[in-house]
Amino acid sequence: MAQEKILIVEDEKDLVKILKYNLEKEGFRTLSANDGESGLALFRKEKPDFLVLDLMLPKLDGLEFCKIVRKESRTPIIMLTAKKEEVDRILGLELGADDYVTKPFSVRELIARIRSILRRVSDSQNIATAVRAGELEIDLGRYEVRLAGKPITLSSKEFEFLKCLIQARGRALTRDDLLKNVWGYDLSVEIDTRTVDQHIARLRSKLGSEAGRLITVKNVGYRLKTD
Ligand code: CA
């Protein structure tokens, strides 16, 4: 199996050392940068498979970094944040980061999350299903969603939601089903079913004229109307 290349952008040099050591021990290749600008240059040059990105960085902060990367690629991103309050900003800004951890965090936990995201990405690459519903075109294999021919940018969680709903073929999925499928079973993070509702709301707003296809089923959850 190919060794995935992980870029760490973090200005705390000791933390970079610890992360590199542990990730390499787990069989990953690593690259690192200590500020946003050189991190972005390295990202563009090396095209890593995964990005571990600190929020507070010199020169170019993690939020801007993340936005720029999302315009250019779908490389999975985990953000590192020093403060719990920043989590709201990360989620609220819809940056398209795939996950985040709050410092101090356990390296094992971080690695587990990296693996889980990489697994999801490779699973979805193995499915070559394209679905069309009204003005909406969803290519699960290519990770592309278009509305009336125009590409829509989804975070990978939003994409995963959509994928689960498509695979349910019109059946309703409960919030718990969606949580399990999108975040996995082995989570020790504070995610509750309201998170599902928040993601669905964001997804709806991105689906524009086709938002009505995402149907709330009272006391159950959600379904996607594809006919
Ligand atoms: Ca920092």
Side-chain angles (χ1 to χ4, degrees):
M1 199 183 124
Q3 289 181 309
E4 284 101 346
K5 189 159 64 176
I6 300 184
L7 171 60
I8 304 159
V9 187
E10 164 64 76
D11 56 327
E12 287 171 51
K13 293 189 176 141
D14 289 341
L15 180 55
V16 173
K17 253 187 225 165
I18 294 168
L19 292 179
K20 277 179 90 84
Y21 172 79
N22 284 282
L23 286 165
E24 283 168 15
K25 212 169 73 179
E26 292 283 324
F28 293 106
R29 284 183 291 156
T30 62
L31 298 160
S32 62
N34 299 123
D35 67 74
E37 271 176 18
S38 56
L40 189 60
L42 202 56
F43 175 82
R44 285 173 173 155
K45 180 165 166 262
E46 295 284 340
K47 304 192 187 340
D49 303 295
F50 203 98
L51 187 54
V52 175
L53 180 61
D54 185 30
L55 184 68
M56 302 294 279
L57 284 170
K59 293 188 184 169
L60 175 69
D61 78 20
L63 295 177
E64 283 306 312
F65 195 117
C66 192
K67 276 193 245 176
I68 294 168
V69 166
R70 261 304 156 267
K71 282 183 194 147
E72 299 175 7
S73 87
R74 291 227 40 88
T75 307
I77 302 173
I78 284 188
M79 303 278 303
L80 309 178
T81 79
K83 284 186 248 151
K84 202 81 187 154
E85 304 87 77
E86 289 168 347
V87 169
D88 289 339
R89 285 175 69 204
I90 295 177
L91 297 177
L93 286 166
E94 296 185 35
L95 293 175
D98 297 82
D99 207 348
Y100 63 88
V101 292
T102 313
K103 293 177 187 174
F105 55 86
S106 104
V107 177
R108 265 185 65 193
E109 168 71 21
L110 178 70
I111 292 174
R113 297 216 199 167
I114 291 175
R115 285 201 187 286
S116 136
I117 292 169
L118 285 170
R119 207 159 42 230
R120 267 199 330 255
V121 171
S122 87
D123 283 352
S124 54
Q125 278 163 354
N126 293 335
I127 305 165
T129 322
V131 178
R132 185 183 264 279
E135 295 279 312
L136 204 57
E137 290 168 77
I138 302 153
D139 189 327
L140 294 178
R142 289 185 172 173
Y143 246 83
E144 281 175 2
V145 181
R146 289 170 188 276
L147 180 66
K150 289 190 186 129
I152 308 177
T153 308
L154 298 183
S155 73
S156 56
K157 287 256 169 5
E158 289 159 355
F159 188 86
E160 288 302 319
F161 272 103
L162 205 50
K163 188 173 126 189
C164 290
L165 290 165
I166 286 168
Q167 288 172 341
R169 295 170 186 276
R171 267 189 310 119
L173 293 177
T174 65
R175 290 174 176 80
D176 279 342
D177 288 336
L178 286 162
L179 271 180
K180 279 177 199 152
N181 280 301
V182 174
W183 272 274
Y185 287 87
D186 53 348
L187 38 94
S188 52
V189 273
E190 300 158 42
I191 290 173
D192 60 32
T193 49
R194 274 172 306 173
T195 310
V196 174
D197 299 337
Q198 286 162 7
H199 277 80
I200 293 281
R202 278 210 288 274
L203 196 50
R204 270 200 185 119
S205 73
K206 291 186 181 179
L207 296 185
S209 57
E210 298 287 350
R213 293 188 175 274
L214 254 175
I215 295 167
T216 306
V217 183
K218 210 179 166 211
N219 299 326
V220 181
Y222 295 99
R223 71 183 194 90
L224 184 73
K225 190 171 171 287
T226 47
D227 52 11

